[in-house]
Amino acid sequence: MKSIVVTEFGSSDVLETRETDVPEPGPGEVRMDVAAAGLNFADVMQRRGHYRGGPEPPFVPGMEAAGTVDAVGDGVDREVGDRVVALASEAYAEYVVAPAASLFEVPESMSFPEAAGFPVQFLTAHNCLHNWGDLTAHDRVLIHAAAGGVGTAAVQLADHAGAESFGTASTAEKLELAADLGLDHGMNYEEEDFRETVDAETDGEGVDLVLDGVNGETFERSLDALASFGRIVVYGAASGDVATPDTTDLLFENKSVLGFHLGNAIEEEPSRVLGAVSDLQRLLAQGELDVVVGETFSLEDAAEAQEYLESRRSVGKVVLEP
């Protein structure tokens, strides 16, 4: 089968298409014939060698795939041909093996590229907003990269919860997309200071919750934009920079900083993290939520796909199709 291999840490040039053995499922596992694999910025960070605890080269990147069950291991109650999506490592390939427990059903109404955009972005957005962020209908929430994969999910979920949403993006077109999904206040961070806009729109009170997958200076400005007793949930560091909060501000303004990592959270508290899956699937099936798929690339064009993601031109989910 064809797989994409990170041959060494570096730029997208280190991604290479190789012929590898088709994996065999072990007990409790299934093999999937991959129809679509989702790209995440974590894939880029792993390729660069900047991902804590990430794999060492050579490795096949990717962490979510959708397709059909191709083979089952012992003790697995699945049928060959089942339409599924999984949180699965080494997803940039024509076939992938995944734990049966990590599989979710894909309804006939959903395409495989859409399904590949569901696990990471919707579980991250839902957990950051609700299980970690304690969002209520009375809250104001600031969502960075509001037109990205997690951002488009978070905007819709915040709107569904009845919260007032603020979002940042780099172009008017991205903000228009986010507005169509339910964003209340869009801010072009290339043209305006989101901190000042939040102040103006909230009469200086600030927001109650921030979802930050950027980190660095964005985190520092977001902490300033946070109201007393507000929460900021950090789920990524797409900027490549990290920030250190002023603990005095946290102390005297009663602010909280929380971290969320999907993979580690599932390992440690699976029921907490995965508890919303059935509700999310129902809302998607009913058309109340949408997986926004931006661009699709062939598997062999994985390097181009990652470059596109890095360029910040992408909207919604970027997907590979073997």
Side-chain angles (χ1 to χ4, degrees):
M1 69 173 185
K2 291 180 181 177
S3 299
I4 303 301
V5 177
V6 175
T7 57
E8 60 182 306
F9 291 134
S11 69
S12 61
D13 294 340
V14 305
L15 292 171
E16 183 178 297
T17 304
R18 290 184 179 177
E19 289 291 331
T20 59
D21 293 334
V22 176
E24 293 295 330
E29 295 180 331
V30 303
R31 184 174 67 213
M32 294 170 54
D33 183 348
V34 178
L39 268 71
N40 294 282
F41 208 83
D43 303 341
V44 173
M45 299 294 283
Q46 288 183 359
R47 190 204 72 215
R48 294 174 180 172
H50 297 160
Y51 196 87
R52 182 187 295 184
E56 294 290 327
F59 66 90
V60 177
M63 56 185 64
E64 58 186 340
T68 54
V69 173
D70 178 69
V72 298
D74 291 341
V76 174
D77 185 20
R78 286 284 179 179
E79 297 293 332
V80 172
D82 283 354
R83 290 166 50 89
V84 294
V85 60
L87 290 165
S89 58
E90 303 185 355
Y92 287 24
E94 292 182 308
Y95 294 90
V96 66
V97 164
S102 74
L103 268 58
F104 312 121
E105 301 290 341
V106 175
E108 291 293 337
S109 60
M110 180 178 287
S111 70
F112 283 126
E114 290 172 332
F118 165 67
V120 170
Q121 67 185 46
F122 272 90
L123 288 175
T124 297
H126 187 277
N127 278 281
C128 286
L129 287 171
H130 295 288
N131 293 342
W132 267 249
D134 293 326
L135 182 71
T136 74
H138 304 290
D139 282 339
R140 295 164 171 154
V141 56
L142 169 59
I143 301 164
H144 290 297
V150 173
T152 53
V155 166
Q156 294 178 78
L157 291 171
D159 183 58
H160 187 263
E164 183 179 1
S165 58
F166 295 74
T168 64
S170 59
T171 69
E173 291 76 16
K174 290 183 178 183
L175 290 173
E176 183 177 351
L177 168 65
D180 289 342
L181 295 173
L183 184 69
D184 296 309
H185 308 279
M187 299 169 287
N188 187 329
Y189 64 76
E190 297 284 1
E191 299 177 354
E192 61 185 305
D193 185 324
F194 71 82
R195 170 74 173 86
E196 294 179 358
T197 302
V198 166
D199 259 0
E201 294 289 343
T202 65
D203 295 325
E205 292 182 4
V207 295
D208 304 290
L209 176 63
V210 178
L211 267 58
D212 178 23
V214 182
N215 218 308
E217 183 180 355
T218 297
F219 172 88
E220 295 170 355
R221 298 292 288 162
S222 297
L223 200 57
D224 285 342
L226 206 58
S228 295
F229 297 94
R231 298 87 64 200
I232 179 168
V233 182
V234 180
Y235 66 90
S239 67
D241 297 323
V242 295
T244 302
D246 184 332
T247 54
T248 304
D249 286 345
L250 299 180
L251 170 65
F252 283 96
E253 297 179 27
N254 295 288
K255 297 177 179 179
S256 301
V257 178
L258 305 99
F260 177 79
H261 184 278
L262 179 62
N264 290 344
I266 288 177
E267 285 186 13
E268 296 185 22
E269 295 193 19
S271 60
R272 179 184 182 191
V273 178
L274 301 176
V277 167
S278 59
D279 284 341
L280 290 172
Q281 289 179 314
R282 175 180 55 80
L283 292 171
L284 286 164
Q286 293 174 347
E288 295 187 44
L289 299 174
D290 291 310
V291 178
V292 178
V293 177
E295 295 289 331
T296 59
F297 294 81
S298 68
L299 183 66
E300 293 87 344
D301 292 330
E304 182 183 349
Q306 285 202 358
E307 288 171 4
Y308 182 69
L309 192 64
E310 289 178 273
S311 73
R312 308 196 187 284
R313 289 178 291 148
S314 64
V315 297
K317 194 70 173 183
V318 179
V319 175
L320 296 177
E321 293 184 299

